[in-house]
Amino acid sequence: MSAPATSTTDDRIIDGKAIATAIRNEIKERVATLKQDKDAVPGLAVILVGSRRDSQTYVNMKTKACAAAGIESLGYTFEDTVTQEELLETIRKLNKDDKVHGILVQLPLPSHLDQDAILQEIDPAKDVDGLHPVNVAKLQLFAGADATQAPFSIPCTPLGCLILLDRSGVDLRGKHCVVLGRSQLVGLPMARLLLGRDATVTIVHSKTQSPSEIVKQADVVIAAVGKALLVKADWLKPGAVVIDVGINSIDIVPEKPGGKTYKLVGDVDYEEAVKVCSKITPVPGGVGPMTIAMLLNNTLTSCERSVST
Ligand code: NAP
């Protein structure tokens, strides 16, 4: 996964949508080759609990992306009254099902369910979200130079950010990277992946003092906080590279009666930051499409590993 960057009308803008489309086309070709050579079709089981509209939207997007790539997706939808045991039993069955190479539990789960216990029930070989403790530990212990070739699943969003940087020609070696956020899903694995590329990494979190002064020293900023427009242009060193993971909904005045009353923005004040940085991802159209592409990639590589063993 190291093809050159896709060009955009403005070279400062990292076009995540175009890069993700290129990767999805490569995945489609690999899926076809796998079918031809090994008669194997990658399968992704997607577990959705409850009726959260955002979760349903994400699951629909993932299901459509699977179909477009030739990956079989199997939906398991439960009422939000489902018991812990019912979910665990479903996962145990999927662990044993040879047609299933990836198991994804759409998060968050309703509060009566023990999310950690449910994620831990997934066979680590089928944990395409890379959140099982075995895969978390493997990432910490990984000694290879290129985590995109790691023989285990890495969380989709930080993996997607790394590949966005690669395909945009950003050399991370010796660079100061500041990661805002320290979640298991994004911030921590992101920091580890950057360390693996010989970057010098600082993590900023909610208790960090003077975050703007730390961000100002960064050659590369990865914002994964969930606070709309937190990172201002005057936080950035001129020429910095900015990857904005945040997805935040903010209220807007509709342009016409009945029009949209909200819009999605990142953690970075894009309109101003774009004037200062050398490269930046937009929201939407930056990191989001890469997360889905990496889910397909992780499902496919899990299938490739299962047929080669
Ligand atoms: P999370 O679990 O809520 O973690 C947020 C992190 O940000 C925490 O570590 C928190 O610090 C830190 N934080 C909160 N306020 C801060 C502040 N004012 N200054 C510095 N750090 C602060 O969120 P997440 O799951 O990592 O997601 C982060 C964002 O990325 C969200 O907007 C989410 O929607 C988005 N996201 C996007 C994608 C995508 O595909 N584009 C995928 C996943 C997530 P503490 O640890 O001290 O609380």
Side-chain angles (χ1 to χ4, degrees):
M1 287 209 172
S2 57
T6 312
S7 67
T8 61
T9 46
D10 182 337
D11 279 348
R12 284 171 302 176
I13 298 167
I14 297 176
D15 187 344
K17 213 170 157 189
I19 295 173
T21 300
I23 291 172
R24 283 170 60 169
N25 287 336
E26 292 161 22
I27 289 170
K28 194 174 173 180
E29 281 173 26
R30 279 167 58 201
V31 169
T33 305
L34 193 66
K35 170 83 181 136
Q36 202 173 20
D37 293 354
K38 306 271 185 180
D39 198 25
V41 177
L44 175 69
V46 181
I47 297 177
L48 172 66
V49 181
S51 53
R52 279 180 64 120
R53 263 207 291 170
D54 56 347
S55 292
Q56 284 172 344
T57 304
Y58 289 133
V59 165
N60 285 341
M61 285 161 70
K62 290 167 184 174
T63 306
K64 275 191 192 152
C66 280
I71 292 174
E72 196 172 332
S73 68
L74 307 130
Y76 292 82
T77 303
F78 297 91
E79 299 288 321
D80 52 15
T81 49
V82 67
T83 65
Q84 175 92 0
E85 192 45 40
E86 277 175 273
L87 275 186
L88 291 175
E89 194 43 42
T90 302
I91 291 172
R92 283 181 207 123
K93 276 191 196 142
L94 294 170
N95 283 342
K96 288 189 202 136
D97 187 337
D98 289 343
K99 289 200 193 94
V100 173
H101 307 94
I103 302 171
L104 177 140
V105 179
Q106 184 63 43
L107 302 177
L109 291 171
S111 57
H112 71 279
L113 297 167
D114 181 344
Q115 187 164 297
D116 286 346
I118 287 165
L119 294 180
Q120 283 179 34
E121 198 66 30
I122 298 173
D123 177 350
K126 298 188 179 188
D127 165 41
V128 280
D129 264 342
L131 295 174
H132 191 285
V134 166
N135 289 322
V136 173
K138 282 185 176 175
L139 178 57
Q140 292 311 311
L141 298 169
F142 184 63
D146 186 1
T148 64
Q149 305 300 321
F152 52 86
S153 286
I154 291 175
C156 299
T157 301
L159 182 61
C161 293
L162 187 71
I163 291 173
L164 274 183
L165 289 164
D166 284 349
R167 294 206 178 201
S168 305
V170 178
D171 179 11
L172 294 164
R173 195 167 188 193
K175 298 285 164 51
H176 185 192
C177 299
V178 172
V179 179
L180 293 105
R182 54 176 168 179
S183 68
Q184 293 292 342
L185 192 64
V186 190
L188 286 182
M190 189 73 244
R192 177 63 185 84
L193 290 173
L194 295 168
L195 276 177
R197 291 294 178 81
D198 293 330
T200 301
V201 181
T202 304
I203 298 179
V204 166
H205 51 76
S206 68
K207 311 295 183 298
T208 301
Q209 292 181 5
S210 309
S212 60
E213 286 169 28
I214 297 169
V215 173
K216 191 92 188 179
Q217 297 166 29
D219 301 305
V220 178
V221 178
I222 314 273
V225 169
K227 297 268 180 270
L229 313 177
L230 173 77
V231 178
K232 307 294 177 203
D234 63 6
W235 289 33
L236 299 170
K237 177 159 93 177
V241 174
V242 179
I243 303 291
D244 191 353
V245 181
I247 303 176
N248 310 286
S249 173
I250 58 168
D251 295 337
I252 53 167
V253 179
E255 280 175 10
K256 53 182 180 192
K260 251 172 85 168
T261 56
Y262 72 93
K263 72 169 181 173
L264 296 183
V265 296
D267 291 342
V268 179
D269 184 353
Y270 178 86
E271 299 298 335
E272 294 302 314
V274 74
K275 297 173 190 163
V276 178
C277 61
S278 62
K279 289 183 192 293
I280 186 165
T281 55
V283 177
V287 173
M290 289 299 286
T291 298
I292 293 187
M294 292 305 104
L295 174 66
L296 303 179
N297 176 70
N298 285 356
T299 306
L300 170 58
T301 45
S302 167
C303 178
E304 286 170 341
R305 281 195 288 270
S306 79
V307 294
S308 71
T309 50

